[in-house]
Amino acid sequence: AKASGRNNYQFFTQKMNQAAAIHFDLESSLRTALAQDQFELYYQPVIDIATRTVHGMEVLLRWRRPGHGLVMPDRFIPILEENGMIVPVGAWVMRQACEQSMEWLRQGLQPVPLAVNLSPRQFMHAGLVAAIRAVLEDSGIAPGLLEFEITETALMQQGEQTLEILRQINAMGLRLSIDDFGTGYSSLAYLKRFPVKKVKIDRAFIKDLETSAEDRAIVSAIIALAGSLQLSTVAEGVETEQQFALLQSKGCRYAQGYLFSAPMPASNARMLLARRGD
Ligand code: C2E
Ligand code: CA
Ligand code: CA
Ligand code: CA
């Protein structure tokens, strides 16, 4: 038994070393990714439920890592958060989104608002508001065409400091949404203190909407309370017509998910904008 315990231990440390090596490898590759232009933006439409038209698009980061294909954000955003690189990368995302929007405008398309995700780490960085202002000025984008999403958990973490930053962003004419709502143990009434316009209901509550009476009750409650606070609701991860119909009957305003489209590269998003209004 002693011997096998030792083997287990060796196996365990070997696995640990492997994991550490992969992490190290990822992190050092990420350090050069921005300079080497390996990041890309994908766009996912947000649909107005009443009209089934495109209301806006969420901007989602991808990493085209040489030799590894397209890497999804869950694999690398936590590392960027941890080492602080999310600050320059996040600034790049904002800038790239605004430039893309302006390019579509120059091509004669009618751009829709783009929603960029902001991470907690970006809020802790003193230069956030200045960075946003610089991007608005340099790109010339109308403030109404840029929105930000911040998770419920991030909002709860920071308190007064975050509140002040959100007020400044709001004062610039940019809209704010609460992301992943329902996962962070806060009350909507409390969140009313923040200058937000939209609540994005986390996919966790949408996934089993057809089968779970409990999830239906939670989603109804969120939509009703959001409505009474003049906040509009977006359901995340809508994959089926049944989910869509349920959300419509409950008065949810917007839906985002594979039912309409997965996140797509700029070229496809462009085609979607070009088709709009035909
Ligand atoms: P999120 O902000 O909650 O974004 C929604 C995620 O749900 C996206 O994953 C999207 O592809 C996925 N999704 C959309 N519709 C469906 C659906 O119908 N079914 C399922 N199963 N999933 C759906 P993605 O693109 O992998 O992004 C993961 C997370 O990475 C995002 O979650 C966000 O927290 C973070 N992220 C992505 N881009 C950025 C960024 O530029 N900055 C920051 N700070 N975080 C980002
Ligand atoms: Ca989001
Ligand atoms: Ca979300
Ligand atoms: Ca999420």
Side-chain angles (χ1 to χ4, degrees):
K2 217 175 194 172
S4 95
R6 191 162 162 222
N7 284 343
N8 279 340
Y9 177 73
Q10 279 173 348
F11 178 75
F12 181 66
T13 49
Q14 204 181 352
K15 282 278 168 207
M16 289 275 288
N17 289 339
Q18 246 171 44
I22 290 171
H23 183 94
F24 180 81
D25 190 40
L26 263 174
E27 180 165 10
S28 58
S29 308
L30 277 168
R31 291 202 178 275
T32 53
L34 191 57
Q36 294 180 357
D37 211 18
Q38 291 167 6
F39 290 116
E40 282 177 30
L41 297 186
Y42 271 48
Y43 301 85
Q44 187 179 32
V46 175
I47 305 299
D48 188 319
I49 290 182
T51 58
R52 284 186 176 251
T53 57
V54 180
H55 160 72
M57 293 196 272
E58 179 173 4
V59 174
L60 295 155
L61 186 59
R62 301 288 182 264
W63 177 23
R64 197 162 296 278
R65 185 182 182 198
H68 295 259
L70 199 65
V71 186
M72 302 303 277
D74 287 339
R75 293 273 294 150
F76 65 87
I77 298 252
I79 300 174
L80 296 179
E81 286 255 341
E82 192 185 288
N83 66 18
M85 279 193 299
I86 193 68
V87 172
V89 173
W92 178 86
V93 171
M94 265 189 259
R95 187 165 291 272
Q96 183 65 27
C98 291
E99 283 172 5
Q100 182 62 79
S101 178
M102 291 304 283
E103 191 180 320
W104 284 330
L105 193 66
R106 279 193 297 273
Q107 292 172 356
L109 300 164
Q110 203 190 96
V112 291
L114 298 181
V116 168
N117 290 285
L118 283 181
S119 85
R121 185 74 184 242
Q122 287 175 276
F123 276 90
M124 289 189 264
H125 190 259
L128 178 63
V129 170
I132 295 172
R133 196 164 280 133
V135 165
L136 287 181
E137 273 173 23
D138 296 347
S139 65
I141 194 174
L145 289 179
L146 181 63
E147 302 184 357
F148 290 110
E149 298 185 2
I150 169 169
T151 64
E152 183 190 13
T153 334
L155 275 183
M156 310 313 295
Q157 272 168 15
Q158 293 297 315
E160 290 309 312
Q161 196 192 326
T162 302
L163 185 55
E164 180 49 34
I165 295 172
L166 294 179
R167 283 192 182 125
Q168 291 180 35
I169 294 175
N170 189 53
M172 285 188 254
L174 306 167
R175 290 216 183 88
L176 293 155
S177 312
I178 303 169
D179 207 354
D180 300 354
F181 190 78
T183 57
Y185 309 102
S186 56
S187 73
L188 262 179
Y190 175 76
L191 293 170
K192 186 56 193 164
R193 301 200 311 134
F194 297 99
V196 298
K197 296 286 187 307
K198 276 186 204 136
V199 173
K200 299 190 78 170
I201 307 169
D202 197 80
R203 190 177 85 85
F205 305 102
I206 309 299
K207 210 166 24 90
D208 304 314
L209 209 55
E210 296 109 312
T211 51
S212 163
E214 205 176 31
D215 286 347
R216 280 197 298 276
I218 293 169
V219 168
S220 299
I222 295 175
I223 294 168
L225 193 52
S228 69
L229 296 169
Q230 270 86 52
L231 300 170
S232 54
T233 38
V234 186
E236 300 194 293
V238 178
E239 296 185 354
T240 69
E241 284 290 351
Q242 293 96 303
Q243 290 167 346
F244 184 86
L246 277 167
L247 290 161
Q248 183 166 35
S249 73
K250 293 176 186 304
C252 184
R253 181 88 191 265
Y254 305 110
Q256 177 180 355
Y258 298 164
L259 176 63
F260 301 98
S261 170
M264 55 194 161
S267 52
N268 293 39
R270 186 195 182 285
M271 288 192 280
L272 184 79
L273 289 178
R275 271 207 314 269
R276 243 163 36 105
D278 289 1

